[in-house]
């Protein structure tokens, strides 16, 4: 059986290898899955990846590159990938490349290539320097902020489409205004993603996990798996994360609708219109899989661990693996595993229990599988309900969502029926 749904494959050509040692990056531990493996994805695997996606029934194919750090495999790797895409692209089919990077290795050659082949680049930055450098450090513990800012200047110089990915963690969660103003005003970002850092661990691993995830000879780190009910000291707190989102939203909805696109807010508006545009806030999941450098396909970026390996794309087609019973069970469990507390929640339509990786708390009545971030998301979605109701109504009337800013602007009186 092959999947009839669009499949999103996140390819990791360098595996878990990275030139940073970000303290909260659990993926660094995934190098333990492939001891002694080659440093990069082979041409055989990358050609199979591209051939199989192009031979699917999708009119638009997205080739997504991430890591680890994907620049570590070198520019020639992506030149070959682009050639494979041209070789296998079907008539009328469009191909989009997305590329998530820490920016350290970007130079004019990389950016010229990105521009020529219309890559959409995601750059990771966690806010102003003190917040970014708190955890995003190199192997010597030195912050990477200045190098990331240089990378951003290169992306602007070459007029490359980019978005900014900002992880929200203990060092910046209490500073939403500073973070948002920095991204919007100083960096002039138009597209922003906020990712909450939740490092889930067992109690007996907590002391090691608090030191970070990079393995070393003196102090081996555990392989990160989705287990345990403790979190590291870097992780966000649910209530504080909710307050972070609320503060940024209140600034955005009054000033930036239609000018700055914040993924969480755009996806929420889609939910108010009955659309599900992001796996974590959808009723089910399972259509976003991960390709490791040896050709192994996993259920999800957050479940790159032995129990969630679906098979090798060198032996079985991606579409077949994505439609397997194992993967369908994985995707349906997002809905089937919801506690009654969630099923009765007034904002279930917007949240759908968020990502299963974060479901390790119990409800007030003792049910399992409550999301660790539940309190924060409840507060956020309830807070935005009035303005989301209004923007959804505007769109249903074939008006523009950004009219909400006029309706919220201080004035003595207005007669708008909304």
């Amino acid at each position: 059986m092959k999947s009839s749904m669009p499949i999103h494959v996140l390819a990791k050509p360098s595996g878990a290898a990275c030139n940073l040692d970000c303290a909260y990056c659990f993926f660094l531990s995934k190098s333990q899955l492939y001891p002694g493996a080659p440093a990069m994805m082979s041409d055989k695997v990358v050609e199979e990846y591209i051939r199989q996606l192009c031979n699917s029934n999708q009119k638009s194919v997205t080739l997504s590159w991430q890591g680890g750090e994907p620049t570590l495999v070198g520019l020639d790797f992506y030149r070959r990938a682009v050639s494979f895409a041209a070789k296998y692209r079907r008539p009328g089919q469009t191909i989009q490349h997305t590329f998530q990077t820490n920016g350290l290795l970007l130079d004019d050659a990389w950016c010229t290539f990105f521009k020529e082949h219309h890559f959409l680049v995601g750059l990771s930055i966690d806010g102003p320097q003190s917040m970014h450098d708190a955890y995003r450090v190199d192997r010597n513990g030195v912050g990477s902020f200045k190098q990331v800012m240089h990378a951003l200047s290169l992306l602007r110089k070459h007029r490359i489409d980019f978005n900014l990915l900002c992880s929200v963690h203990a060092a910046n969660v209490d500073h939403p205004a500073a973070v948002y103003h920095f991204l919007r005003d100083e960096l002039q970002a138009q597209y922003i993603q906020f990712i909450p850092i939740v490092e889930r661990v067992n109690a007996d691993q907590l002391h090691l996990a608090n030191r970070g995830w990079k393995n070393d000879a003196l102090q081996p780190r555990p392989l990160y798996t989705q287990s345990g009910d403790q979190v590291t000291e870097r992780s966000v707190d649910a209530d504080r994360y909710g307050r972070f989102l609320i503060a940024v939203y209140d600034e955005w909805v009054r000033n930036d609708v239609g000018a700055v696109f914040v993924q969480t807010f755009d996806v929420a508006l889609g939910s108010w219109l009955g659309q599900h545009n992001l796996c974590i806030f959808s009723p089910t999941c399972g259509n976003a899989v991960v390709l490791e450098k040896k050709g192994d396909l996993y259920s999800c970026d957050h479940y790159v661990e032995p129990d969630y390996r679906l098979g090798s794309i060198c032996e079985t087609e991606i579409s077949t693996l994505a439609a397997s019973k194992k993967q369908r069970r994985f995707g349906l469990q997002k809905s089937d595993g919801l506690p009654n507390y969630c099923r009765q929640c007034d904002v279930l339509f917007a949240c759908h229990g968020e990502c299963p990786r974060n479901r390790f708390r119990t409800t007030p009545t003792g049910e399992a599988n409550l999301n660790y971030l539940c309190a924060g998301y409840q507060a956020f979605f309830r807070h935005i309900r009035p303005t989301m109701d209004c923007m959804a109504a505007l769109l249903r009337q074939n008006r523009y969502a950004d009219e909400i800013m006029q309706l919220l602007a201080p004035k003595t009186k207005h007669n708008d029926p909304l």
Side-chain angles (χ1 to χ4, degrees), residues 30-266:
K30 304 298 182 178
S31 61
Q32 298 175 47
L33 293 172
Y34 298 102
M40 60 188 284
M41 186 178 286
S42 69
D43 282 1
K44 175 185 176 181
V45 172
V46 73
E47 184 169 10
E48 275 301 299
Y49 162 51
I50 294 171
R51 181 190 67 79
Q52 290 179 30
L53 283 191
C54 289
N55 284 347
S56 68
N57 294 322
Q58 300 178 76
K59 292 183 179 179
S60 179
V61 170
T62 298
L63 301 176
S64 297
W65 309 101
Q66 200 186 64
E69 173 50 43
T71 56
L72 290 178
V73 300
L75 188 48
D76 284 345
F77 174 93
Y78 297 100
R79 291 190 176 107
R80 294 193 297 273
V82 166
S83 295
F84 290 140
K87 176 180 177 180
Y88 291 109
R89 185 179 68 86
R90 302 173 71 178
Q93 192 175 58
T94 60
I95 295 178
Q96 167 76 61
H97 293 267
T98 66
F99 196 93
Q100 184 64 43
T101 179
N102 60 34
L104 269 64
L105 295 182
L106 295 191
D107 57 18
D108 285 320
W110 276 102
C111 291
T112 298
F113 174 82
F114 288 154
K115 183 65 176 179
E116 179 183 357
H117 298 287
H118 311 290
F119 274 55
L120 172 63
V121 177
L123 185 67
S124 297
I125 187 163
D126 289 357
Q129 184 168 4
S130 62
M131 302 178 201
H132 176 92
D133 284 348
Y135 301 130
R136 295 193 65 81
V137 298
D138 64 20
R139 294 168 186 172
N140 295 316
V142 178
S144 58
F145 180 83
K146 292 181 180 179
Q147 292 159 290
V148 176
M149 293 296 288
H150 176 65
L152 182 59
S153 70
L154 287 171
L155 294 174
R156 284 211 189 97
K157 171 186 172 182
H158 289 268
R159 298 184 178 182
I160 294 164
D161 291 334
F162 69 90
N163 60 50
L164 299 182
L165 189 154
C166 177
S167 295
V168 183
H169 43 65
N172 62 9
V173 68
D174 293 326
H175 307 282
V179 170
Y180 185 60
H181 292 163
F182 174 76
L183 299 177
R184 181 195 65 186
D185 301 336
E186 294 192 41
L187 304 191
Q188 300 180 334
Q190 290 184 289
Y191 299 91
I192 300 170
Q193 297 179 54
F194 290 118
I195 305 295
I197 294 298
V198 179
E199 299 174 75
R200 176 184 179 183
V201 294
N202 293 303
D204 60 352
Q205 296 178 337
L206 186 58
H207 68 292
L208 287 176
N210 277 331
R211 294 185 56 188
W213 293 101
K214 185 177 181 296
N215 204 19
D216 62 65
L218 296 177
Q219 186 64 73
R221 301 294 193 267
L223 173 67
Y224 186 92
T225 60
Q226 298 297 345
S227 60
D229 61 0
Q230 304 292 306
V231 297
T232 65
E233 59 193 16
R234 298 174 293 268
S235 299
V236 292
D237 168 86
D239 290 329
R240 292 159 71 194
Y241 184 59
R243 291 194 292 271
F244 178 96
L245 290 177
I246 288 169
V248 175
Y249 179 85
D250 284 349
E251 173 80 8
W252 174 83
V253 78
R254 287 176 171 82
N255 300 290
D256 301 319
V257 179
V260 179
F261 299 89
V262 180
Q263 185 186 55
T264 302
F265 307 158
D266 292 344

